[in-house]
Amino acid sequence: MTDFLGPPPRVIRLTPRPALVLAVASVLGLAMFCWPLFAHPRPGAVAHAADAPFVFMATLPVLILVVLAELSRGGIDAKALALLGVLSAVNAGLRPLGAGTGGIELVFFLLVLAGRVFGPGFGFVLGSTSLFTSALLTAGVGPWLPFQMLASSLIGLGAGLLPRNLRGRGEIAVLVGYGVFAAYFFGVLMSLWTWPFLAGDSAQLGFVPGAPLLDNLHRFAVYTVLTSTLGWDTGRAVTNAVAIVLLGPAILAVLRRAARRAAFGAPVSFGQPYE
């Protein structure tokens, strides 16, 4: 029956100003990942130590701006915050179950489903809060955390931008395809920002300052395939696909029912008091 009621309302309404802030945050996030292609880093772990504080300083204000923009536009209310807290806690609890063994990551499939149901703005924020909460629970706080948060936010954002009129098997097929893409997308981004430091001075795999962009891209492609794509990323893609196929229809129904019962975005009105 729920499919005939139309799509559930967006939890966070993206009016032009918040949408612009979200777009800017996404572009800045991608630029942060791609910095090795445009900078000339010094190889070695020591160079990264001075970079980490600036990563936090650049990332956290962007995320805060997204939330503040939504709050200033009335796009997020107490019900949305409660839902965000519940899903972040569930995602944080799911992540240690796989512990990343062989690429098994259970945090992303729920992010994809929630972003699909509740929209791109909610998906972006949920991606950040889920990874931040899970990092606190698993002692995974480090210089890599802002990059993980941004990558997950972009995955949640993309899930919310998928076509809204799909239902049934077609919807599950699209979500499976997106879940597979998201797994490799996350792996490529996480490999890219650490590439100059982990690959070192290897002529075949390492970053070469001043080399043509295409040459460095080729070396990075070989590096990420050998170190991430064939192992961790493929395991993550299989996990996402299996979880969405087996659990996706039921979880989508539950999330959509919750969204309609919560009546996000419905105007609040007060009746006449009883005499």
Side-chain angles (χ1 to χ4, degrees), residues 48 52-53 55-56 132 135-136 139-149 193:
H48 180 64
V55 172
F56 280 96
F132 181 76
L136 295 179
V141 178
W144 54 84
L145 179 57
F147 292 95
Q148 291 179 335
M149 291 170 61
W193 80 274

Side-chain angles (χ1 to χ4, degrees), residues 98-138:
T101 304
I104 298 175
E105 289 275 9
L106 297 175
V107 69
F108 292 104
F109 90 94
L110 183 58
L111 173 61
V112 169
L113 297 177
R116 164 67 176 167
V117 172
F118 299 122
F122 186 86
F124 185 94
V125 178
L126 179 62
S128 294
T129 56
S130 294
L131 268 292
F132 181 76
T133 306
S134 65
L136 295 179
L137 292 178
T138 59

Side-chain angles (χ1 to χ4, degrees), residues 17-43:
R17 190 174 70 185
L20 177 61
V21 174
L22 190 57
V24 171
S26 301
V27 171
L28 290 177
L30 288 174
M32 290 175 61
F33 285 108
C34 297
W35 72 270
L37 300 177
F38 307 103
H40 301 284
R42 293 182 292 111

